[in-house]
Amino acid sequence: MERNYIVVVNGKPEGPYDFEHLKDMSIVSGTFVRKPGMDDYKEAHEFPELRALFGFSYEQTAPQYFASFDQRLLAAVIDYFILFLVYIVVVLCCFAFVNGQGERISFALLLLPLIPVFKFVYGVFAEASAKQGTIGKRLLSIKVTDMGGARVSIGLSFVRNLGKILSVAPLFFGYLYSFLNKKQQCFHDVAAGTLVIKDRLI
């Protein structure tokens, strides 16, 4: 039988153990467990097979680890960089149908304001998806949740991204507000009731 489970005992990871061996261990719902392919540990009650084995009930655990301002800023930079690359490709493709240097420059400038529009639309759907974040956030292992740590709806994601307008004015104070907030929420997070969390570490 495969030995798949690493179990944290007295603050130290032990194992791997197979499923049958777990039956003889003193595992409680809050015991940290990890399986192959997982980036971090989860509590035992978060595994369906362990809930069935020990009779645990699933408990929604409020997030305790929040993404810092620099992580969120880097994620945004990555997202805009990717969108800018897409913009360049689209512009170069369109140049095949636009003649004249002046017309090409005008066309390129005309499309430039669409980048933040696409960022808004992409952010709404990406943060409400199963991945709970844009490519930038996913690369940094951070994601958007509600106050209980659950996936947000499209409507809540829309409110959050629209609220970024408030965070920008005046002088990006809404973003800097995260330094004053215990959960490192920006104004748009407070307005929408959302969090940006990172993977917990043992």
Side-chain angles (χ1 to χ4, degrees):
M1 184 172 293
E2 294 184 2
R3 297 176 177 268
N4 288 328
Y5 298 88
I6 302 292
V7 181
V8 176
V9 180
N10 295 325
K12 297 181 179 180
E14 296 185 3
Y17 301 114
D18 58 43
F19 189 73
E20 291 298 320
H21 190 94
L22 295 181
K23 296 179 180 179
D24 301 322
M25 300 181 66
S26 299
I27 293 178
V28 298
S29 63
T31 299
F32 287 113
V33 180
R34 186 175 68 182
K35 294 171 62 176
M38 293 175 54
D39 295 328
D40 205 353
Y41 290 85
K42 290 185 177 181
E43 294 180 352
H45 67 83
E46 299 181 72
F47 294 84
E49 68 273 22
L50 298 186
R51 290 202 299 271
L53 176 63
F54 295 104
F56 299 144
S57 60
Y58 179 73
E59 305 168 9
Q60 181 65 52
T61 305
Q64 300 294 324
Y65 302 89
F66 309 103
S68 62
F69 176 80
D70 58 334
Q71 288 177 311
R72 298 172 65 159
L73 178 61
L74 180 57
V77 170
I78 293 172
D79 290 333
Y80 273 110
F81 177 73
I82 293 173
L83 287 174
F84 189 70
L85 290 180
V86 173
Y87 159 80
I88 291 176
V89 171
V90 172
V91 168
L92 291 178
C93 290
C94 292
F95 277 179
F97 306 97
V98 179
N99 297 318
Q101 183 176 0
E103 289 79 3
R104 288 182 172 181
I105 293 176
S106 298
F107 182 78
L109 293 176
L110 185 65
L111 291 182
L112 194 59
L114 293 179
I115 293 180
V117 175
F118 282 115
K119 174 64 169 64
F120 171 80
V121 174
Y122 171 58
V124 169
F125 286 96
E127 291 171 4
S129 71
K131 298 294 185 180
Q132 296 179 260
T134 59
I135 292 176
K137 286 184 173 66
R138 287 158 54 187
L139 288 175
L140 296 178
S141 297
I142 62 178
K143 59 185 179 181
V144 178
T145 73
D146 64 14
M147 298 302 292
R151 175 180 170 184
V152 300
S153 64
I154 285 287
L156 195 59
S157 182
F158 178 84
V159 172
R160 180 182 186 275
N161 282 274
L162 189 64
K164 290 180 180 180
I165 298 174
L166 299 177
S167 291
V168 170
L171 302 176
F172 293 89
F173 180 76
Y175 283 95
L176 298 178
Y177 174 74
S178 63
F179 289 104
L180 307 175
N181 187 286
K182 291 182 179 180
K183 296 183 178 180
Q184 302 196 51
Q185 294 171 287
C186 298
F187 270 174
H188 52 273
D189 292 309
V190 175
T194 58
L195 300 169
V196 181
I197 66 173
K198 61 183 178 181
D199 291 338
R200 62 183 175 226
L201 299 175
I202 298 298

